[in-house]
Coordinates of all heavy atoms in Angstrom, one line a residue:
M1 N -27.6 70.7 -16.9 CA -27.7 72.2 -16.5 C -27.6 72.3 -15.0 O -28.2 71.5 -14.3 CB -28.9 72.8 -17.0 CG -29.0 74.3 -16.8 SD -30.3 75.0 -17.7 CE -31.1 75.9 -16.4
L2 N -26.8 73.2 -14.5 CA -26.6 73.4 -13.1 C -27.8 74.1 -12.5 O -28.4 75.0 -13.2 CB -25.4 74.2 -12.8 CG -24.0 73.6 -13.1 CD1 -22.9 74.6 -13.0 CD2 -23.8 72.4 -12.3
P3 N -28.2 73.8 -11.3 CA -29.3 74.5 -10.7 C -29.0 76.0 -10.6 O -27.8 76.4 -10.5 CB -29.3 73.9 -9.3 CG -28.7 72.6 -9.4 CD -27.6 72.8 -10.4
I4 N -30.0 76.9 -10.6 CA -29.8 78.3 -10.6 C -29.0 78.8 -9.4 O -28.3 79.8 -9.5 CB -31.2 79.0 -10.6 CG1 -31.0 80.5 -10.8 CG2 -32.0 78.7 -9.3 CD1 -32.3 81.3 -11.0
F5 N -29.0 78.0 -8.3 CA -28.3 78.5 -7.1 C -26.8 78.3 -7.2 O -26.1 78.8 -6.3 CB -28.8 77.8 -5.9 CG -30.3 78.0 -5.7 CD1 -31.2 77.0 -6.0 CD2 -30.8 79.2 -5.2 CE1 -32.6 77.2 -5.9 CE2 -32.1 79.5 -5.1 CZ -33.0 78.5 -5.4
R6 N -26.3 77.7 -8.3 CA -24.9 77.5 -8.5 C -24.3 78.5 -9.5 O -23.2 78.4 -9.8 CB -24.6 76.1 -8.9 CG -25.0 75.0 -7.9 CD -24.6 73.7 -8.4 NE -25.1 72.6 -7.6 CZ -24.5 72.1 -6.5 NH1 -23.3 72.5 -6.2 NH2 -25.1 71.1 -5.9
Q7 N -25.2 79.3 -10.1 CA -24.7 80.1 -11.2 C -24.7 81.6 -10.8 O -25.8 82.1 -10.3 CB -25.6 79.9 -12.4 CG -25.6 78.5 -13.0 CD -26.6 78.4 -14.1 OE1 -27.3 79.3 -14.5 NE2 -26.6 77.2 -14.7
P8 N -23.8 82.4 -11.1 CA -22.4 82.0 -11.5 C -21.6 81.4 -10.4 O -20.6 80.7 -10.6 CB -21.8 83.3 -12.0 CG -22.5 84.4 -11.2 CD -23.9 83.8 -11.0
F9 N -22.1 81.5 -9.1 CA -21.5 80.8 -8.0 C -22.5 80.8 -6.9 O -23.5 81.5 -6.9 CB -20.2 81.6 -7.5 CG -20.5 83.0 -7.1 CD1 -21.0 83.4 -5.9 CD2 -20.2 84.0 -8.0 CE1 -21.2 84.7 -5.5 CE2 -20.4 85.4 -7.7 CZ -20.9 85.7 -6.5
V10 N -22.3 79.8 -5.9 CA -23.3 79.6 -4.9 C -23.3 80.9 -4.0 O -22.3 81.4 -3.6 CB -22.9 78.4 -4.0 CG1 -23.8 78.3 -2.8 CG2 -22.9 77.1 -4.8
G11 N -24.5 81.3 -3.7 CA -24.7 82.5 -2.9 C -24.8 83.8 -3.7 O -24.9 84.9 -3.1
Y12 N -24.8 83.7 -5.0 CA -24.8 84.9 -5.9 C -26.2 85.6 -5.7 O -27.2 84.9 -5.6 CB -24.7 84.5 -7.3 CG -24.9 85.7 -8.3 CD1 -23.9 86.7 -8.4 CD2 -25.9 85.7 -9.2 CE1 -24.1 87.7 -9.3 CE2 -26.1 86.7 -10.1 CZ -25.2 87.7 -10.1 OH -25.4 88.7 -11.0
L13 N -26.2 86.9 -5.6 CA -27.4 87.7 -5.4 C -27.7 88.5 -6.6 O -27.2 89.6 -6.8 CB -27.3 88.6 -4.2 CG -27.0 87.9 -2.8 CD1 -26.9 88.9 -1.7 CD2 -28.1 86.9 -2.5
P14 N -28.6 88.0 -7.6 CA -28.8 88.8 -8.8 C -29.4 90.2 -8.5 O -30.2 90.3 -7.6 CB -29.9 87.9 -9.5 CG -29.9 86.6 -8.8 CD -29.3 86.8 -7.4
G15 N -28.8 91.1 -9.2 CA -29.3 92.5 -9.1 C -28.6 93.3 -7.9 O -28.8 94.5 -7.9
Y16 N -28.0 92.6 -7.0 CA -27.4 93.3 -5.9 C -26.3 94.3 -6.3 O -26.2 95.4 -5.8 CB -26.9 92.3 -4.8 CG -26.2 93.0 -3.6 CD1 -27.0 93.9 -2.8 CD2 -24.9 92.9 -3.4 CE1 -26.4 94.5 -1.7 CE2 -24.3 93.6 -2.3 CZ -25.1 94.4 -1.5 OH -24.5 95.0 -0.5
L17 N -25.4 93.8 -7.2 CA -24.3 94.7 -7.6 C -24.8 96.0 -8.2 O -24.3 97.1 -7.8 CB -23.4 93.9 -8.5 CG -22.1 94.6 -9.0 CD1 -21.2 95.0 -7.8 CD2 -21.3 93.8 -9.9
A18 N -25.8 95.9 -9.1 CA -26.3 97.1 -9.7 C -26.9 98.0 -8.7 O -26.8 99.2 -8.7 CB -27.3 96.7 -10.8
A19 N -27.7 97.4 -7.7 CA -28.3 98.2 -6.7 C -27.3 98.9 -5.8 O -27.5 100.0 -5.4 CB -29.3 97.3 -5.9
S20 N -26.2 98.2 -5.5 CA -25.2 98.8 -4.6 C -24.4 99.8 -5.3 O -24.0 100.8 -4.7 CB -24.3 97.7 -4.0 OG -23.6 97.0 -5.0
K21 N -24.2 99.7 -6.6 CA -23.5 100.7 -7.4 C -24.3 102.0 -7.4 O -23.8 103.1 -7.5 CB -23.2 100.3 -8.8 CG -22.1 99.3 -8.9 CD -21.8 98.9 -10.3 CE -20.6 98.0 -10.4 NZ -20.4 97.6 -11.8
A22 N -25.6 101.9 -7.3 CA -26.5 103.1 -7.3 C -26.3 104.0 -6.1 O -26.5 105.2 -6.1 CB -28.0 102.7 -7.4
T23 N -25.8 103.4 -5.0 CA -25.5 104.2 -3.8 C -24.0 104.6 -3.7 O -23.7 105.2 -2.7 CB -25.9 103.3 -2.5 OG1 -25.1 102.2 -2.5 CG2 -27.3 103.0 -2.5
A24 N -23.2 104.2 -4.7 CA -21.8 104.6 -4.7 C -21.6 106.1 -4.7 O -22.4 106.8 -5.2 CB -21.1 103.9 -5.9
P25 N -20.6 106.6 -4.0 CA -19.5 105.9 -3.4 C -19.8 105.5 -2.0 O -18.9 105.0 -1.3 CB -18.3 106.9 -3.5 CG -19.0 108.2 -3.3 CD -20.4 108.0 -4.0
G26 N -20.9 105.7 -1.5 CA -21.3 105.3 -0.1 C -21.5 103.8 0.0 O -21.4 103.0 -0.9
R27 N -21.8 103.4 1.2 CA -22.0 102.0 1.5 C -23.4 101.6 1.0 O -24.3 102.4 1.0 CB -22.0 101.9 3.1 CG -22.3 100.6 3.6 CD -22.3 100.6 5.1 NE -22.7 99.3 5.6 CZ -22.7 99.0 6.8 NH1 -22.3 99.8 7.7 NH2 -23.1 97.8 7.2
P28 N -23.5 100.4 0.4 CA -24.8 99.9 -0.1 C -25.8 99.9 1.0 O -25.5 99.7 2.2 CB -24.5 98.5 -0.5 CG -23.0 98.4 -0.7 CD -22.4 99.4 0.3
L29 N -27.1 100.1 0.7 CA -28.1 100.1 1.7 C -28.4 98.7 2.2 O -28.4 97.7 1.4 CB -29.4 100.6 1.0 CG -29.4 102.0 0.5 CD1 -30.6 102.4 -0.3 CD2 -29.1 103.0 1.6
Q30 N -28.5 98.6 3.5 CA -28.7 97.3 4.1 C -30.0 96.6 3.6 O -30.0 95.4 3.4 CB -28.7 97.4 5.7 CG -28.8 96.1 6.4 CD -27.6 95.2 6.3 OE1 -26.5 95.7 6.2 NE2 -27.8 93.9 6.2
G31 N -31.0 97.4 3.4 CA -32.3 96.8 3.0 C -32.2 96.2 1.6 O -32.9 95.2 1.3
V32 N -31.3 96.7 0.7 CA -31.1 96.2 -0.6 C -30.5 94.8 -0.5 O -30.9 93.8 -1.1 CB -30.2 97.1 -1.5 CG1 -29.9 96.4 -2.8 CG2 -30.9 98.4 -1.7
Y33 N -29.5 94.7 0.4 CA -28.8 93.4 0.6 C -29.8 92.4 1.2 O -29.9 91.3 0.8 CB -27.6 93.6 1.5 CG -27.0 92.2 1.9 CD1 -26.2 91.5 1.0 CD2 -27.1 91.8 3.2 CE1 -25.7 90.3 1.4 CE2 -26.6 90.6 3.6 CZ -25.8 89.8 2.7 OH -25.3 88.6 3.1
D34 N -30.5 92.8 2.2 CA -31.4 91.9 2.9 C -32.5 91.4 2.0 O -32.8 90.2 2.0 CB -32.1 92.7 4.1 CG -31.1 93.0 5.2 OD1 -30.0 92.4 5.3 OD2 -31.5 93.8 6.1
A35 N -33.0 92.3 1.1 CA -34.1 91.8 0.2 C -33.6 90.8 -0.8 O -34.2 89.8 -1.0 CB -34.7 93.0 -0.5
A36 N -32.4 91.1 -1.4 CA -31.8 90.2 -2.3 C -31.4 88.9 -1.7 O -31.7 87.8 -2.2 CB -30.5 90.8 -3.0
L37 N -30.9 88.9 -0.5 CA -30.5 87.7 0.2 C -31.7 86.9 0.6 O -31.7 85.7 0.4 CB -29.7 88.1 1.5 CG -29.3 86.9 2.4 CD1 -28.4 85.9 1.6 CD2 -28.6 87.4 3.6
M38 N -32.7 87.5 1.1 CA -33.9 86.7 1.5 C -34.6 86.1 0.3 O -35.1 84.9 0.4 CB -34.9 87.6 2.3 CG -34.5 87.9 3.7 SD -34.3 86.4 4.7 CE -32.5 86.2 4.8
E39 N -34.6 86.8 -0.8 CA -35.2 86.2 -2.0 C -34.5 84.9 -2.4 O -35.1 83.9 -2.7 CB -35.2 87.2 -3.1 CG -35.9 86.7 -4.4 CD -35.9 87.7 -5.5 OE1 -35.8 88.9 -5.2 OE2 -36.1 87.3 -6.6
Q40 N -33.2 85.0 -2.5 CA -32.4 83.8 -2.9 C -32.4 82.7 -1.8 O -32.5 81.5 -2.2 CB -30.9 84.2 -3.1 CG -30.7 84.9 -4.4 CD -31.0 84.0 -5.6 OE1 -32.1 84.0 -6.1 NE2 -30.1 83.1 -6.0
W41 N -32.4 83.1 -0.5 CA -32.4 82.1 0.5 C -33.7 81.3 0.5 O -33.8 80.1 0.6 CB -32.2 82.8 1.9 CG -32.2 81.9 3.1 CD1 -33.0 82.0 4.2 CD2 -31.4 80.8 3.3 NE1 -32.7 81.0 5.1 CE2 -31.7 80.3 4.6 CE3 -30.4 80.1 2.6 CZ2 -31.1 79.1 5.2 CZ3 -29.8 79.0 3.2 CH2 -30.1 78.5 4.5
Q42 N -34.9 82.1 0.4 CA -36.2 81.4 0.4 C -36.3 80.5 -0.8 O -36.9 79.5 -0.8 CB -37.3 82.4 0.5 CG -37.4 83.0 1.9 CD -37.7 82.0 3.0 OE1 -38.5 81.1 2.8 NE2 -37.0 82.2 4.1
G43 N -35.8 81.0 -2.0 CA -35.8 80.3 -3.2 C -35.1 79.0 -3.1 O -35.5 77.9 -3.5
L44 N -33.9 79.0 -2.4 CA -33.1 77.8 -2.2 C -33.8 76.9 -1.3 O -34.0 75.7 -1.6 CB -31.7 78.2 -1.6 CG -30.9 77.0 -1.2 CD1 -30.6 76.1 -2.3 CD2 -29.6 77.5 -0.6
L45 N -34.4 77.4 -0.2 CA -35.1 76.5 0.8 C -36.3 75.8 0.2 O -36.6 74.7 0.5 CB -35.4 77.3 2.0 CG -34.3 77.7 2.9 CD1 -34.8 78.5 4.1 CD2 -33.4 76.6 3.4
N46 N -37.0 76.5 -0.7 CA -38.2 76.0 -1.3 C -38.0 75.2 -2.6 O -38.9 74.7 -3.2 CB -39.2 77.2 -1.6 CG -39.6 77.9 -0.4 OD1 -39.8 77.3 0.7 ND2 -39.9 79.2 -0.5
S47 N -36.7 74.9 -2.9 CA -36.4 74.1 -4.1 C -35.9 72.8 -3.7 O -35.5 72.5 -2.6 CB -35.4 74.9 -4.9 OG -34.1 74.8 -4.3
S48 N -35.8 71.9 -4.7 CA -35.2 70.6 -4.5 C -33.7 70.7 -4.2 O -33.1 69.8 -3.6 CB -35.5 69.6 -5.6 OG -34.9 70.2 -6.8
A49 N -33.1 71.8 -4.6 CA -31.7 72.0 -4.4 C -31.3 72.1 -2.9 O -30.2 71.8 -2.5 CB -31.2 73.2 -5.1
S50 N -32.3 72.3 -2.1 CA -32.1 72.4 -0.6 C -31.7 71.1 0.0 O -31.3 71.0 1.1 CB -33.3 73.0 0.1 OG -34.4 72.1 0.0
Q51 N -31.9 70.0 -0.8 CA -31.5 68.7 -0.3 C -30.0 68.4 -0.4 O -29.5 67.5 0.2 CB -32.3 67.6 -1.1 CG -33.8 67.7 -0.9 CD -34.3 67.6 0.5 OE1 -33.9 66.7 1.2 NE2 -35.0 68.6 0.9
D52 N -29.3 69.3 -1.1 CA -27.9 69.2 -1.3 C -27.2 70.0 -0.2 O -27.1 71.2 -0.2 CB -27.5 69.8 -2.6 CG -26.0 69.7 -2.9 OD1 -25.2 69.3 -2.0 OD2 -25.6 69.9 -4.1
E53 N -26.8 69.2 0.9 CA -26.2 69.9 2.0 C -25.0 70.7 1.7 O -24.8 71.8 2.3 CB -25.8 68.8 3.1 CG -25.3 69.3 4.4 CD -25.0 68.3 5.4 OE1 -25.4 67.1 5.2 OE2 -24.4 68.6 6.4
R54 N -24.2 70.3 0.7 CA -23.0 71.1 0.4 C -23.4 72.4 -0.2 O -22.7 73.4 0.1 CB -22.1 70.3 -0.7 CG -21.5 69.1 -0.1 CD -20.8 68.3 -1.2 NE -21.9 67.9 -2.1 CZ -21.7 67.4 -3.3 NH1 -20.5 67.2 -3.8 NH2 -22.7 67.0 -4.0
L55 N -24.4 72.5 -1.0 CA -24.9 73.7 -1.5 C -25.4 74.7 -0.5 O -25.1 75.8 -0.4 CB -26.1 73.4 -2.5 CG -26.7 74.6 -3.2 CD1 -25.7 75.4 -4.1 CD2 -27.9 74.2 -4.1
V56 N -26.2 74.2 0.5 CA -26.7 75.0 1.6 C -25.5 75.5 2.4 O -25.5 76.7 2.8 CB -27.7 74.2 2.4 CG1 -28.1 75.0 3.7 CG2 -29.0 73.9 1.6
H57 N -24.6 74.6 2.7 CA -23.4 75.0 3.5 C -22.6 76.1 2.8 O -22.2 77.1 3.5 CB -22.6 73.7 3.7 CG -21.4 74.0 4.7 ND1 -21.5 73.6 6.0 CD2 -20.2 74.5 4.5 CE1 -20.3 74.0 6.6 NE2 -19.5 74.5 5.7
T58 N -22.4 76.0 1.6 CA -21.6 77.0 0.8 C -22.4 78.3 0.8 O -21.8 79.4 1.0 CB -21.4 76.5 -0.6 OG1 -20.6 75.2 -0.5 CG2 -20.5 77.5 -1.4
F59 N -23.7 78.2 0.6 CA -24.5 79.5 0.7 C -24.4 80.2 2.0 O -24.2 81.4 2.1 CB -26.0 79.1 0.4 CG -26.8 80.3 0.1 CD1 -27.1 80.7 -1.2 CD2 -27.4 81.1 1.1 CE1 -27.9 81.8 -1.5 CE2 -28.2 82.2 0.9 CZ -28.5 82.5 -0.5
L60 N -24.4 79.4 3.1 CA -24.3 80.0 4.4 C -22.9 80.5 4.7 O -22.7 81.5 5.4 CB -24.7 78.9 5.5 CG -26.2 78.6 5.5 CD1 -26.4 77.4 6.5 CD2 -27.0 79.8 5.9
E61 N -21.9 79.9 4.1 CA -20.5 80.4 4.3 C -20.4 81.7 3.6 O -19.7 82.6 4.1 CB -19.5 79.4 3.6 CG -19.2 78.2 4.5 CD -18.2 77.3 3.8 OE1 -18.0 77.3 2.5 OE2 -17.6 76.4 4.5
R62 N -21.0 81.9 2.5 CA -20.9 83.2 1.7 C -21.8 84.3 2.4 O -21.5 85.4 2.2 CB -21.4 83.0 0.3 CG -21.1 84.1 -0.6 CD -21.3 83.8 -2.1 NE -20.4 82.8 -2.6 CZ -19.1 83.1 -3.0 NH1 -18.6 84.3 -2.9 NH2 -18.4 82.1 -3.4
H63 N -22.8 83.9 3.2 CA -23.7 84.9 3.8 C -23.8 84.5 5.3 O -24.8 84.0 5.8 CB -25.0 84.9 3.2 CG -25.0 85.2 1.7 ND1 -24.7 86.5 1.2 CD2 -25.1 84.4 0.6 CE1 -24.7 86.5 -0.1 NE2 -24.9 85.3 -0.5
P64 N -22.7 84.7 6.1 CA -22.8 84.4 7.5 C -23.8 85.1 8.3 O -24.1 84.7 9.5 CB -21.3 84.7 8.0 CG -20.8 85.7 7.0 CD -21.5 85.3 5.7
S65 N -24.4 86.2 7.8 CA -25.4 86.9 8.6 C -26.6 86.0 8.8 O -27.5 86.3 9.6 CB -25.8 88.2 7.8 OG -26.4 87.9 6.6
L66 N -26.8 84.9 8.0 CA -27.9 84.0 8.2 C -27.7 83.1 9.4 O -28.6 82.4 9.9 CB -28.1 83.2 7.0 CG -28.6 84.0 5.8 CD1 -28.6 83.1 4.5 CD2 -30.0 84.5 6.0
L67 N -26.4 83.0 9.9 CA -26.1 82.1 11.0 C -26.6 82.8 12.4 O -26.4 84.0 12.5 CB -24.6 81.8 11.1 CG -24.1 81.1 9.9 CD1 -22.6 81.0 10.0 CD2 -24.7 79.8 9.7
P68 N -27.1 81.9 13.3 CA -27.5 82.5 14.6 C -26.3 83.0 15.4 O -25.2 82.5 15.2 CB -28.2 81.3 15.3 CG -27.6 80.1 14.6 CD -27.2 80.5 13.2
G69 N -26.5 84.0 16.2 CA -25.5 84.5 17.0 C -25.8 84.2 18.5 O -26.4 83.2 18.8
A70 N -25.3 85.0 19.4 CA -25.4 84.8 20.8 C -26.8 84.9 21.3 O -27.2 84.2 22.3 CB -24.5 85.8 21.6
H71 N -27.6 85.6 20.6 CA -29.0 85.8 21.1 C -30.0 85.5 19.9 O -30.5 86.3 19.3 CB -29.2 87.3 21.5 CG -28.2 87.7 22.6 ND1 -28.3 87.2 23.8 CD2 -27.1 88.5 22.5 CE1 -27.3 87.7 24.5 NE2 -26.6 88.5 23.7
S72 N -30.2 84.2 19.8 CA -31.1 83.7 18.8 C -32.6 84.0 19.2 O -32.8 84.4 20.3 CB -30.9 82.2 18.6 OG -29.6 81.9 18.1
V73 N -33.5 83.7 18.3 CA -34.9 84.0 18.6 C -35.4 83.2 19.8 O -36.1 83.7 20.6 CB -35.7 83.6 17.3 CG1 -37.2 83.7 17.7 CG2 -35.4 84.4 16.2
D74 N -34.9 82.0 20.0 CA -35.4 81.1 21.1 C -34.4 81.2 22.3 O -34.4 80.3 23.1 CB -35.6 79.7 20.6 CG -34.3 79.1 20.1 OD1 -33.3 79.8 19.9 OD2 -34.3 77.8 19.8
G75 N -33.6 82.2 22.4 CA -32.7 82.3 23.5 C -31.2 82.2 23.1 O -30.9 82.4 22.0
D76 N -30.4 82.0 24.1 CA -28.9 82.0 23.8 C -28.6 80.7 23.0 O -29.1 79.6 23.3 CB -28.1 82.0 25.1 CG -28.2 83.4 25.8 OD1 -28.6 84.3 25.2 OD2 -27.9 83.4 27.0
S77 N -27.7 80.9 22.0 CA -27.4 79.8 21.2 C -26.1 79.1 21.6 O -25.6 78.1 21.1 CB -27.2 80.2 19.7 OG -26.2 81.2 19.6
G78 N -25.4 79.7 22.6 CA -24.2 79.1 23.2 C -22.9 79.6 22.6 O -21.9 79.1 22.9
H79 N -22.9 80.5 21.7 CA -21.7 81.0 21.1 C -21.9 82.5 20.8 O -23.0 83.0 20.6 CB -21.2 80.3 19.9 CG -22.2 80.3 18.7 ND1 -22.2 81.3 17.8 CD2 -23.2 79.5 18.4 CE1 -23.2 81.1 16.9 NE2 -23.8 80.0 17.3
S80 N -20.8 83.2 20.7 CA -20.9 84.6 20.3 C -21.3 84.8 18.9 O -21.2 83.9 18.1 CB -19.6 85.4 20.7 OG -18.6 84.8 19.9
A81 N -21.7 86.0 18.5 CA -22.0 86.4 17.1 C -20.8 86.2 16.2 O -19.6 86.2 16.7 CB -22.5 87.8 17.1
F82 N -21.0 86.0 15.0 CA -20.0 85.7 14.0 C -18.8 86.7 14.0 O -17.7 86.4 14.1 CB -20.6 85.7 12.6 CG -19.6 85.5 11.5 CD1 -19.1 84.3 11.2 CD2 -19.1 86.6 10.7 CE1 -18.1 84.1 10.2 CE2 -18.2 86.4 9.7 CZ -17.7 85.2 9.5
S83 N -19.1 88.0 14.1 CA -18.1 89.0 14.0 C -17.3 89.1 15.3 O -16.2 89.7 15.3 CB -18.7 90.4 13.6 OG -19.6 90.8 14.6
D84 N -17.7 88.6 16.4 CA -17.0 88.6 17.6 C -15.7 87.9 17.6 O -14.8 88.1 18.4 CB -17.8 88.2 18.8 CG -18.9 89.1 19.2 OD1 -18.9 90.3 18.7 OD2 -19.7 88.8 20.1
G85 N -15.6 87.0 16.6 CA -14.4 86.2 16.5 C -13.3 86.8 15.7 O -12.2 86.3 15.6
C86 N -13.6 88.0 15.2 CA -12.6 88.7 14.3 C -12.0 89.8 15.1 O -12.6 90.5 15.9 CB -13.4 89.3 13.1 SG -14.2 88.2 12.1
D87 N -10.7 90.0 14.8 CA -10.0 91.1 15.4 C -10.0 92.3 14.4 O -9.2 92.4 13.5 CB -8.5 90.8 15.7 CG -8.4 89.7 16.8 OD1 -9.2 89.7 17.7 OD2 -7.5 88.9 16.7
L88 N -11.1 93.1 14.5 CA -11.2 94.3 13.6 C -10.7 95.5 14.3 O -10.8 95.8 15.4 CB -12.7 94.4 13.2 CG -13.3 93.2 12.5 CD1 -14.7 93.4 12.2 CD2 -12.5 93.0 11.2

């Protein structure tokens, strides 16, 4: 059986789709996403699955908001925030 963090895909946030549909047609509430993301992220970190570097890497790829930006908690991280590299 596959670990819960791989079902149905790495980085899946159970309940988020239903919660975001409740705010349709507007934008989903940021707090709903943050709560769902933090629950899954902490669950992954506190499990033995966190030893699988590929799993953690894939989770972070799916949720780049977890990556540090230009102004991390402990000072400058040496690079600009994730969205600064996009031409939007």
Side-chain angles (χ1 to χ4, degrees):
M1 187 169 128
L2 293 173
I4 189 171
F5 302 104
R6 297 182 191 270
Q7 297 176 359
F9 55 84
V10 175
Y12 175 68
L13 303 178
Y16 176 67
L17 184 59
S20 64
K21 282 183 180 179
T23 62
R27 179 179 172 175
L29 299 174
Q30 185 67 37
V32 172
Y33 172 74
D34 291 345
L37 178 59
M38 286 299 104
E39 182 178 341
Q40 282 296 96
W41 179 238
Q42 288 300 318
L44 173 58
L45 293 179
N46 294 330
S47 73
S48 61
S50 67
Q51 300 302 308
D52 183 348
E53 185 177 348
R54 292 172 298 166
L55 179 63
V56 173
H57 186 95
T58 302
F59 192 97
L60 290 171
E61 284 179 341
R62 190 165 298 276
H63 302 287
S65 63
L66 293 171
L67 299 173
H71 304 290
S72 299
V73 174
D74 60 349
D76 290 343
S77 62
H79 63 85
S80 59
F82 176 79
S83 61
D84 285 354
C86 299
D87 293 327
L88 299 177

